[in-house]
Amino acid sequence: MSIDPRVALQSLTAALEEHLAAASARRGDGDPSVEAAFFAVADAFEVYEDALYEAYNEVTPLQVFDDEEDEEEDSEVDDEDLEIVEE
């Protein structure tokens, strides 16, 4: 079952509005409503991207980054990246 890209875009826009509302009402670091809104935007974007591709064979210039991938990349350090500085 494919989703109409316009409907998916409306859902993405609504998710962005909710994220703005949550961010502006943030009650400190790690506010669960901001985190939930963040993931809702990411999910809505992926649905929109899929719908756009299915309907028109087109994509956006945007990408959703996964924090787990970033943490794995940060933990992998090559010896070539290290430099010993002697004073």
Side-chain angles (χ1 to χ4, degrees):
M1 178 175 117
S2 66
I3 297 174
D4 182 345
R6 292 181 194 279
V7 173
L9 179 59
Q10 289 171 346
S11 295
L12 175 57
T13 303
L16 288 167
E17 292 283 347
E18 288 295 320
H19 184 267
L20 176 60
S24 67
R26 168 177 273 164
R27 300 182 195 272
D29 291 341
D31 187 325
S33 64
V34 175
E35 184 176 332
F38 172 91
F39 288 113
V41 169
D43 291 344
F45 171 75
E46 288 181 1
V47 170
Y48 172 66
E49 184 94 340
D50 290 346
L52 187 64
Y53 188 78
E54 273 189 42
Y56 304 113
N57 201 30
E58 189 59 61
V59 295
T60 67
L62 307 174
Q63 181 178 5
V64 174
F65 290 99
D66 184 6
D67 287 340
E68 291 177 9
E69 289 176 8
D70 293 340
E71 290 173 6
E72 289 174 12
E73 289 175 7
D74 290 343
S75 67
E76 295 176 9
V77 178
D78 294 333
D79 290 338
E80 295 172 3
D81 294 338
L82 300 176
E83 180 180 340
I84 297 174
V85 178
E86 295 180 17
E87 293 182 34

